[in-house]
Amino acid sequence: MLNQTEIRQYVAPPNQLHGRVIAITGAGDGIGRALALAAARQGAQLVLIGRTVRRLESIHAEIAALGSAGGQAPEATIAPLDLEKALAGDYDQLAAAVLQRYGRLDGLVHNAALLGTIAPIEHADMLNWCRVLHVNLTAALALTQVLLPSLRASEDASVIFTTSSVGRRGRANWGAYAVSKFAVEGLNQVLADELSGNSLVRVNAVNPGATRTRMRRQAFPGEDAALLPEPASILGPYLWLLGPASRGVTGQSLDCQAPRPSPPPAAPA
Ligand code: NDP
């Protein structure tokens, strides 16, 4: 296995994801969008899962345009799913569509998340707490469950959860978001352990680190975003985990960026 630095700096060989079917949640914006585009460039067929259809249509069009550069157009399908509101039937429908269209799933990236309200635990709003825990944790579990038959049908399936530094060491005011990411780390470890030895499905988590996106702006409105890396520049660990070079790696929690000094605490709402 590569060391942490090599994984962070990983540059995928051309076409390394050729023929792989990869589903990404929150594919319409931020890191999910950049990852969808990078994976399509490497030959993956994408299932673009997200809440805002116009954003999914935009990334779908951008992926389709890759083909006009002369190569074969990468294939992508849009799967609208609001992880806050989706019911069991919506998950089942998506899983059935994936199985029917592709017969398997080689990658599942749980990227979508809700920041929620930044506030001390003492003042935690219960509705916000439930929404954040549901989208960031429970929905990822529900989606994994229904897609497991497709993942098991792959010869090398890779599930990626998205964690955060506040999901490894608690920080004041990050409330439900931080707790949800701690739980995602736990889900990652438990599922990886359960699936190792009896399946070809590997399960890992990735912490993107401070990245120039809408969520980061929401958390740190006063920060100079120009100092942060763009989503497209932090994707090494995701692309390594989705490709054949990481076959057999499971139960890890990786970082996209070298550790930085802790930022100032987010302002309580
Ligand atoms: P963005 O806010 O840019 O993107 C989040 C994506 O999640 C959007 O596409 C959004 O959809 C989607 N989403 C939110 N709620 C739902 C929902 N209910 N149903 C379906 N999709 C939903 O965030 P980032 O790209 O920054 O974050 C990506 C991941 O990285 C998250 O898991 C985040 O916690 C993590 N992370 C980010 C860091 C950063 O500095 N950016 C640092 C550490 C971790 P829509 O377009 O509809 O809003």
Side-chain angles (χ1 to χ4, degrees):
M1 179 169 153
L2 303 181
N3 67 35
Q4 285 272 350
T5 307
E6 290 167 329
I7 295 169
R8 279 201 298 270
Q9 296 170 351
Y10 180 73
V11 178
N15 241 9
Q16 73 143 358
L17 301 179
H18 180 72
R20 294 199 178 215
V21 183
I22 295 172
I24 303 174
T25 69
D29 206 3
I31 295 163
R33 186 182 212 283
L35 181 59
L37 206 51
R41 283 204 180 95
Q42 290 180 12
Q45 303 173 67
L46 274 303
V47 182
L48 307 166
I49 302 174
R51 175 177 55 177
T52 306
V53 173
R54 71 180 158 75
R55 289 203 177 106
L56 296 176
E57 286 172 347
S58 161
I59 179 65
H60 185 271
E62 207 168 326
I63 289 171
L66 293 176
S68 57
Q72 197 189 344
E75 196 194 310
T77 46
I78 290 176
L81 189 73
D82 184 335
L83 298 171
E84 190 175 338
K85 300 184 180 142
L87 302 172
D90 301 314
Y91 287 97
D92 290 342
Q93 214 177 328
L94 192 155
V98 167
L99 202 53
Q100 187 186 8
R101 180 164 185 140
Y102 301 104
R104 69 179 197 289
L105 188 62
D106 307 298
L108 171 60
V109 184
H110 294 293
N111 162 79
L114 203 57
L115 177 65
T117 313
I118 301 289
I121 292 284
E122 189 176 1
H123 303 300
D125 173 77
M126 287 307 137
L127 183 58
N128 174 71
W129 184 273
C130 293
R131 287 180 68 212
V132 171
L133 267 289
H134 186 80
V135 171
N136 297 5
L137 174 68
T138 312
L141 166 65
L143 195 57
T144 308
Q145 269 188 344
V146 294
L147 289 173
L148 258 175
S150 293
L151 290 161
R152 283 185 188 277
S154 165
E155 286 177 4
D156 179 28
S158 176
V159 177
I160 301 178
F161 291 104
T162 309
T163 182
S164 164
S165 53
V166 295
R168 293 178 182 155
R169 177 157 186 87
R171 202 181 301 152
N173 304 328
W174 285 80
Y177 178 83
V179 172
S180 75
K181 295 297 188 180
F182 268 95
V184 162
E185 293 270 358
L187 178 57
N188 177 48
Q189 290 180 20
V190 173
L191 187 63
D193 199 32
E194 286 176 0
L195 293 178
S196 69
N198 65 37
S199 83
L200 297 173
V201 184
R202 50 207 170 87
V203 183
N204 296 281
V206 171
N207 169 23
T211 309
R212 198 187 312 170
T213 66
R214 192 158 39 111
M215 182 185 288
R216 179 73 191 187
R217 267 196 311 282
Q218 194 189 338
F220 296 96
E223 184 178 56
D224 182 358
L227 300 175
L228 299 174
E230 302 249 26
S233 69
I234 55 101
L235 299 176
Y238 291 96
L239 295 171
W240 181 69
L241 284 173
L242 288 171
S246 59
R247 200 174 185 133
V249 173
T250 198
Q252 304 293 311
S253 187
L254 305 176
D255 288 290
C256 293
Q257 301 183 49
R260 319 179 334 145
S262 291

